[in-house]
Amino acid sequence: MEKNKLARGVAVVGAGMSKFGSFPEKTSRDLFVEAFQEMKHSVDKELDTRNIEAFYLGNFSSDQFEKQAHLAPIIANWVGLSPIPATRVEDACASGGVALREAVLAIASGMYDVVLVGGLEKMTDLPIDQVTEALGTAADTQFEIPAGFTFPGFYAAMATAYLDEYDATPLAFSHVSIKNHKNGALNDKAQFGQTIAEIMKAKKERAVKKGLPEPTWQTEMDFLTDPKGNPAIAWPLTLFDCSPVSDGGAAVLLVAEEIAHKYSAHPIFVIGSGQASDGALHDRATLSYIPAAQEAAEKAYEMAGKKPTDMDLAEVHDCFTIAEIIATEDLGFFERGEGWKAAMAGKTARDGEHPVNTSGGLKAKGHPVGASGVGQVVEVWKQLRGIAGQRQVPGRPSVALTHNVGGSGQTCVVHIFERRNSDE
Ligand code: COA
C-alpha cells in the first residue's frame, strides 16, 4: 500500500464554533454545545446525530484549567452522543489539529464513516499566573521552566534570534498584529472584534474621562510603539504581539468521501495531512524557524500533490506575532528571512498574494488552546464555501491550509482542504 496517502477520501460537511473570549458565566460544556449546535445547523442536507460513530476532542488541559479530566466522554454525553467512542487528544496547543488528523485517519482506515471532531478549552477561570504555569507544562518542565521560561519567553527567544539573523525590525510584528485585528473586527466570533485603531480610540477616551492627559497617539503604529499603550511582555514581544487567554469551543463533522453528498451539496475535501514532532526549544539547533512545522507541511503538500503557491489562503498558528512570520516561511510561502518583509508589504493581507489568518488568527480571534486548531478549520471551511461574509477572500478560493503548533514547536500539524465543485 502506498505510504502518506489516505486509503479513502474524507470531507468536511459541517463546522461551527462558539464565540471565543472570556465567559465567566459559562462552562466548557456550554461552549461546546454552542459549537455543536452551529455545526449541526451548518450541514446543508440532513444530519441525524445518531449516525455519528466516534468523537475526537482536542483539549490541552481541562484538568488544570477546570479541575476536570476525562473530558471527551463527558462532552459526548452532554451533546447526546453516548455510547460512541469518545477520545480526548492532547498535544498542547496543537490538540485540535491532531484530533482532526486522528479523525481523518480513522475514516480513511475504513473504521468509521461519520466522525465528530471537537476542540475545547476554558482557560479564564484561573488567575493569569496560574494560566501561565499551566501553559508551561507544555514545555520541558525539567530543563526550561525551572530556568524561568514562560510561553511569551520562548517566543521572545525565537523573535530575538529571528531579528538578529535576518536584520529584521520588530515593526514587522506590529504589522501582523494590525492585520489580524483588522480581520478579527470582521469576525463576530472573535475575542477582539476591534481594530487596533478602535482600541486606541477607546483608550484615549477613557483617559479623558478619568481626567488624565489625552495620549497623543495619532496612528496605530504610534500606539503600538508606545509602552504606555502597548507594554512589553517579554522583550521584544509586547502585549499586542501576544494571543490572549481565552475560552471557546469548535466542532467539525467529517464523513467518508463516498457518502459526503448525502450530507452536503458542498463538501470540502481534506486532501493533505502532515504531522511531525521535535524536542523542546532548548534542545534545538535553531531558534529562527520550527523544523517540525516544515516537516509537517512537506508531508501535507506531498499527500495533497500541491505546492505552497497553490494555497489560496491559510490559517496559521500566530500564538505570538513572530510565530506567524516564521510560519509563513516554514510553510514555504516566503523564503527564509523574507517573511517579515512580506508582512510589512501587506502580502499576507486578505487581498494580498498569500492571505493569512482571515479569521483574525489566534491573536485577535482568541486562543482557547485545545480549540484553536479546530477553529482554524471552521474558518477555511467558511472561506472555501464562500460564506465568510465581509472577510471573504476575493476570487473564490479553492485550496486552503491550516497550521497548528503545540508548545514551542514540539508538535506541528498541517492540513490542506479543497473545494472541488467549480459551479459553486
Ligand atoms: N492582546 C491585546 N490586548 C490584551 C491581550 C492581548 N493578548 N491580553 C489582554 N489584553 C488587554 C485586555 O483587553 C485589557 O484591556 P483593557 O485594560 O483595555 O480592558 C488589558 O490588556 C489587561 O488585560 P488582562 O486580562 O489583565 O491581561 P493580563 O496581563 O492578565 O494578560 C498576557 C496579558 C499577555 C500576559 C496574556 O494575554 C497572555 O499570557 N497571553 C499569552 C497566552 C499564551 O501564552 N498562550 C499560549 C501560547 S503558546
Side-chain angles (χ1 to χ4, degrees), residues 83 138 140 218 232 234 285 384:
D140 184 332
Q218 294 297 320
L384 294 177

Side-chain angles (χ1 to χ4, degrees), residues 15-16 31-43 79 251:
L31 294 166
F32 194 76
V33 167
E34 288 173 26
F36 183 73
Q37 292 296 352
E38 188 176 270
M39 178 284 296
K40 236 170 85 177
H41 295 302
S42 77
V43 178
V79 295

Side-chain angles (χ1 to χ4, degrees), residues 159-405:
T160 312
Y162 186 93
L163 293 175
D164 182 54
E165 201 162 324
Y166 300 117
D167 206 13
T169 162
L171 289 179
F173 306 159
S174 299
H175 279 270
V176 171
S177 189
I178 290 169
K179 168 188 65 80
N180 288 353
H181 272 268
K182 197 170 158 197
N183 289 339
L186 301 177
N187 184 350
D188 61 1
K189 296 293 176 66
Q191 181 157 355
F192 294 109
Q194 301 134 307
T195 63
I196 289 182
E198 287 162 350
I199 294 173
M200 175 180 86
K201 185 162 170 266
K203 279 198 192 281
K204 284 171 90 165
E205 286 168 0
R206 225 190 302 167
V208 172
K209 238 188 211 158
K210 285 186 184 160
L212 299 169
E214 186 178 5
T216 55
W217 314 309
Q218 294 297 320
T219 66
E220 291 176 317
M221 274 297 176
D222 292 343
F223 172 71
L224 291 178
T225 51
D226 179 356
K228 290 203 189 77
N230 183 24
I233 296 295
W235 190 90
L237 301 181
T238 62
L239 182 63
F240 279 82
D241 290 317
C242 301
S243 59
V245 172
S246 315
D247 306 327
V252 301
L253 188 69
L254 299 184
V255 301
E257 177 168 350
E258 60 266 28
I259 59 166
H261 282 91
K262 275 179 31 190
Y263 291 86
S264 175
H266 317 279
I268 299 298
F269 295 92
V270 182
I271 58 169
S273 177
Q275 184 181 341
S277 67
D278 203 348
L281 192 68
H282 75 276
D283 237 356
R284 276 184 228 152
T286 176
L287 297 183
S288 61
Y289 76 100
I290 297 183
Q294 189 179 315
E295 170 76 16
E298 280 166 10
K299 285 271 185 279
Y301 288 136
E302 182 193 314
M303 184 187 289
K306 300 278 181 195
K307 45 192 191 310
T309 46
D310 296 326
M311 301 302 116
D312 295 323
L313 72 134
E315 284 287 299
V316 313
H317 196 95
D318 58 326
C319 50
F320 298 92
T321 49
I322 178 63
E324 175 169 316
I325 291 173
I326 289 177
T328 60
E329 297 177 12
D330 291 339
L331 293 167
F333 298 163
F334 308 110
E335 294 292 319
R336 295 233 169 272
E338 296 295 317
W340 67 279
K341 295 179 202 159
M344 291 185 81
K347 291 186 181 176
T348 50
R350 202 155 31 85
D351 57 357
E353 69 186 55
H354 275 291
V356 168
N357 286 334
T358 53
S359 68
L362 280 41
K363 170 67 202 83
K365 185 176 62 177
H367 186 21
V369 289
S372 291
V374 184
Q376 293 177 326
V377 182
V378 176
E379 177 68 9
V380 302
W381 178 81
K382 283 191 172 166
Q383 289 283 355
L384 294 177
R385 298 265 316 247
I387 56 170
Q390 285 177 286
R391 61 179 194 284
Q392 182 67 47
V393 164
R396 204 60 177 89
S398 59
V399 183
L401 176 151
T402 57
H403 156 277
N404 193 198
V405 174

